[in-house]
Amino acid sequence: MENLFSNPGVAGWLGEWIDRLKPESIELVTGDQVQQESLVDLLISRGALVRLDPVLRPNSFLALSDPKDVARLESRTFICSEQEGDAGPTNNWRSPAEMRATMLPLYEGAMQGRKLYVIPFAMGPEGSRFQMLGIELTDSAYVALSMIKMARVSKAVAEAIDKSGNFVPAIHSVGVPVTGNDDVPWPCNPENTYVAHFPETKEIWSFGSGYGGNALLGKKCLALRIASVIGRREGWLAEHMLILKLTSPGGSVYYVAGAFPSACGKTNLAMLVPTVPGWKAETIGDDIAWIRRGEDGRLYAVNPEAGFFGVAPGTSERSNAMAMKTVSRDTIFTNCALTKEGDVWWEGATETAPDGMIDWKGVPWDGQGPAAHPNARFTVSASQCPMIAPEWQDPDGVPLSALLFGGRRSDLIPLVTEARSWEHGVFLGSIMASETTAAAEGPTGKVRRDPFAMLPFCGYNIGDYFQHWLDFGGKSVNGLPRIYLVNWFRRNADHRYIWPGYGDNVRVISWIIDRLEGRVRGRETPLGIVPDASEIDLAGTPLSPEEFAPLVEIDGAGLVTEVEDVEEYYSGLGDRLPKRLRAQLDELRALI
Ligand code: GTP
Ligand code: SPV
Ligand code: MN
């Protein structure tokens, strides 16, 4: 089977892994319709997928994972640089030699009794000089089917890899060889899970989990962790950002990118349905942006992905009608509940839960606890999104007018704040914090620092990353987008969200554009410029200007505590923290 590729480098690499993994059979994945159908049939026959009702949800499926394999595993994710300092204080580090010594025995015979899927894939639009090629080897048909939707998988990509010999090797095994008739629908090996990255040799080794970012290796592993390292070396940025196109009532077009931590609103903002008449929004990307500085000094962003792996809970006709239309057919759902009509359901989909559901654990739902897992997801091609922008695959990317950094903060951080400069914006990005969510293992709702929403995704030392951002702005600020901190998640005394969010977020972006066009002045605060209540269009929201006002107030005592906390956090980052950011912190302290 080594002759899938004629390039000696590629064929030799594949042969070596086949010898090690010892699969029963091998299939090249090129993503055509017939292959997709056979993957589906196989998964259905194994009980790994359920076909949903063909009228309610055509050509769509539900997968239920092992309850121990439901999210990214940050504690099992490693950056394996030669020097510990190059992984930095925020990453788990192992030396490459040690990680190889740990994982090679795990891979030995790991695919016995299973088929090996060889998936050539591209991240980045076709014809883009920024495209990156990879080959994922996996023993999961679910991963193969998902990769076809999430990345660009084709014969042409296989040929391009064969011709150039250039690709990021990405090895994935669920880590459960089959010896008898004892296979399970969702095999995984939680005790031995590793998601390892070798940034210097550009390799990805994943073992033991079949879920999302742990297993679809083009996404977080390649397009963020490995790409961030390459981007630093080559002078560009790989970011955890959505990209949105907005057209104002006057017909002006603006592109904005936004970094929000996992499950903090990127997909929803990317599919914004404006509640203010005259505005039009279109989607470019919902999770990752590769950003380069153009010759004109502006920043150009590309979405390297081909699909959406989106959070299901909370998505409804009311909150996100576009996402609902996107997933109306040809979608794989994971860990949602199954209705008796053969459709999927999740918390927030409708106000009341239908009766007679099977929950995400595969048993009749007893009404106790959630019916869908809080990190239940949909996997769907981006081309199915009714509001996808025609230029979403533009090989040169789209020019950015503004960058948003947003976290989930119940208090302190205003609805929107404009940074005073690029450097101040980098400072605000570096001190971002957010409540943890179900997208990763561990407790939810705990505030943690998540700089640039990249804490789990930066493939190198976070201090070097901040320096790279500072350098990226360069000496000339001409053409650079302005930077804004946003927070849709402030709560009142009853613990309710104050800001209506979702489609109403266009009101915030409209203020941002008013700022860019010099139409509003805002108000200075120690954190930056916030809107005056009179500058935000509240018509059609339940909020009066008096009710809005607290959203842009900064509690002085809270800010003092925050600064103390940032001080401690910065000291933990060691000597690679740029001095200019320390100076920014001193400046903030002086302002309060
Ligand atoms: P990842 O795919 O994990 O990176 O997540 P994401 O950043 O794309 O988050 P997503 O848009 O899927 O939103 C996650 C959760 O936040 C969902 O339950 C949404 O309903 C909720 N959410 C998104 N936007 C808003 C908002 O403006 N206000 C409120 N209150 N909730 C929101
Ligand atoms: C995230 O956690 O930010 C995601 C989901 O987008 S996963 O692909 O699992 O990383
Ligand atoms: Mn994400």
Side-chain angles (χ1 to χ4, degrees):
M1 268 319 266
E2 286 98 298
N3 58 10
L4 286 181
F5 296 94
S6 56
N7 183 300
V10 187
W13 166 81
L14 180 58
E16 184 196 314
W17 278 98
I18 291 171
D19 288 347
R20 181 171 296 126
L21 297 164
K22 301 187 176 49
E24 188 178 272
S25 59
I26 299 167
E27 180 172 333
L28 179 71
V29 178
T30 51
D32 60 73
Q33 205 53 45
V34 174
Q35 186 172 47
Q36 288 193 46
E37 280 162 23
S38 81
L39 286 166
V40 162
D41 290 345
L42 178 82
L43 285 161
I44 290 177
S45 74
R46 286 209 201 126
L49 281 189
V50 170
R51 186 182 290 277
L52 299 175
D53 182 87
V55 176
L56 296 173
R57 203 72 72 164
N59 203 28
S60 298
F61 309 92
L62 173 64
L64 300 184
S65 80
D66 185 304
K68 293 193 285 298
D69 193 20
V70 295
R72 276 187 300 101
L73 294 162
E74 296 184 357
S75 65
R76 310 301 304 167
T77 299
F78 296 87
I79 300 299
C80 306
S81 46
E82 291 292 345
Q83 301 296 319
E84 183 169 6
D86 290 336
T90 56
N91 281 313
N92 300 314
W93 176 80
R94 290 282 163 82
S95 78
E98 188 189 343
M99 188 52 93
R100 288 186 207 278
T102 304
M103 291 186 77
L104 281 174
L106 294 173
Y107 281 130
E108 198 59 49
M111 295 193 184
Q112 275 171 41
R114 294 196 186 281
K115 183 181 268 184
L116 162 63
Y117 296 95
V118 178
I119 315 171
F121 66 95
M123 302 307 290
E126 200 166 330
S128 169
R129 63 196 167 100
F130 308 127
Q131 198 179 52
M132 281 169 65
L133 303 175
I135 301 178
E136 176 160 353
L137 303 185
T138 181
D139 49 11
S140 162
Y142 166 87
V143 167
L145 196 61
S146 302
M147 281 294 285
I148 293 170
K149 294 190 187 295
M150 294 302 298
R152 290 170 176 84
V153 176
S154 68
K155 222 161 166 248
V157 168
E159 285 161 8
I161 291 172
D162 208 17
K163 205 164 148 204
S164 65
N166 211 336
F167 69 102
V168 174
I171 318 294
H172 172 254
S173 171
V174 294
V176 189
V178 188
T179 45
N181 290 324
D182 53 354
D183 200 11
V184 290
W186 186 286
C188 60
N189 188 341
E191 290 75 38
N192 289 302
T193 295
Y194 293 92
V195 184
H197 308 72
F198 302 91
E200 282 117 0
T201 49
K202 294 190 237 170
E203 292 168 274
I204 301 158
W205 287 14
S206 169
F207 187 91
S209 165
Y211 201 92
N214 304 326
L216 312 176
L217 303 183
K219 193 175 176 61
K220 300 300 161 97
C221 299
L222 194 161
L224 284 178
R225 298 193 191 96
I226 296 289
S228 65
V229 174
I230 298 173
R232 179 182 175 225
R233 196 164 56 227
E234 296 179 353
W236 53 278
L237 299 170
E239 297 299 326
H240 192 203
M241 288 183 177
L242 73 113
I243 312 166
L244 173 69
K245 175 185 180 187
L246 272 166
T247 307
S248 72
S252 304
V253 172
Y254 302 88
Y255 298 96
V256 302
F260 297 69
S262 301
C264 290
K266 290 181 300 301
T267 303
N268 278 272
L269 193 60
M271 297 186 196
L272 173 97
V273 180
T275 54
V276 181
W279 286 89
K280 182 179 178 191
E282 291 161 273
T283 309
I284 305 277
D286 86 321
D287 199 52
I288 301 179
W290 287 350
I291 303 176
R292 289 175 166 81
R293 197 134 188 213
E295 276 160 22
D296 58 359
R298 302 185 77 185
L299 302 192
Y300 288 80
V302 157
N303 167 16
E305 299 192 274
F308 307 129
F309 182 62
V311 178
T315 311
S316 69
E317 288 299 339
R318 245 186 48 207
S319 69
N320 193 337
M322 283 297 160
M324 294 301 279
K325 283 204 183 66
T326 306
V327 303
S328 63
R329 62 180 171 90
D330 295 282
T331 302
I332 306 168
F333 296 90
T334 304
N335 288 345
C336 298
L338 181 66
T339 69
K340 58 180 191 293
E341 290 78 24
D343 199 1
V344 279
W345 190 86
W346 48 77
E347 275 59 31
T350 52
E351 234 148 76
T352 51
D355 323 316
M357 286 192 295
I358 304 292
D359 72 13
W360 71 274
K361 289 183 176 161
V363 296
W365 187 48
D366 58 8
Q368 306 294 306
H373 188 277
N375 192 37
R377 298 247 169 190
F378 52 78
T379 309
V380 65
S381 294
S383 58
Q384 274 180 222
C385 177
M387 63 182 285
I388 197 87
E391 66 273 46
W392 81 279
Q393 307 197 74
D394 188 324
D396 296 324
V398 295
L400 300 175
S401 296
L403 295 175
L404 316 185
F405 297 145
R408 219 176 242 277
R409 294 292 297 267
S410 308
D411 52 26
L412 191 69
I413 304 300
L415 179 65
V416 54
T417 315
E418 183 182 288
R420 288 185 283 269
S421 63
W422 180 263
E423 182 171 305
H424 183 232
V426 173
F427 169 67
L428 293 181
S430 80
I431 66 167
M432 256 170 83
S434 192
E435 290 159 20
T436 49
T437 66
E441 91 269 36
T444 60
K446 267 185 60 188
V447 175
R448 69 169 183 185
R449 298 284 153 203
D450 189 348
F452 295 77
M454 283 289 278
L455 178 71
F457 308 120
C458 182
Y460 59 100
N461 187 305
I462 201 78
D464 295 345
Y465 170 91
F466 297 159
Q467 187 63 51
H468 181 44
W469 263 84
L470 291 170
D471 297 343
F472 190 66
K475 291 199 180 66
S476 157
V477 293
N478 275 347
L480 284 180
R482 278 196 217 165
I483 296 176
Y484 296 82
L485 209 56
V486 299
N487 178 19
W488 315 145
F489 299 97
R490 260 175 98 147
R491 296 180 193 257
N492 62 15
D494 300 330
H495 214 59
R496 291 239 169 89
Y497 293 123
I498 306 172
W499 180 245
Y502 300 101
D504 284 318
N505 292 332
V506 72
R507 299 168 193 275
V508 172
I509 300 179
S510 149
W511 179 80
I512 288 173
I513 290 170
D514 282 343
R515 283 287 306 157
L516 297 176
E517 301 292 359
R519 288 192 287 258
V520 291
R521 295 191 48 191
R523 176 167 61 83
E524 292 275 357
T525 77
L527 282 178
I529 296 160
V530 302
D532 187 80
S534 65
E535 295 168 351
I536 297 259
D537 177 5
L538 294 173
T541 74
L543 295 178
S544 65
E546 294 69 41
E547 288 165 318
F548 175 88
L551 280 168
V552 289
E553 252 152 46
I554 299 173
D555 161 38
L559 198 53
V560 169
T561 312
E562 184 82 357
V563 164
E564 281 166 12
D565 194 71
V566 170
E567 185 71 55
E568 200 183 313
Y569 156 71
Y570 266 9
S571 357
L573 297 185
D575 57 3
R576 298 217 206 173
L577 178 78
K579 296 208 169 43
R580 282 152 74 191
L581 296 187
R582 264 203 179 282
Q584 283 284 342
L585 181 59
D586 293 339
E587 207 171 294
L588 172 57
R589 199 185 298 101
L591 285 172
I592 55 181

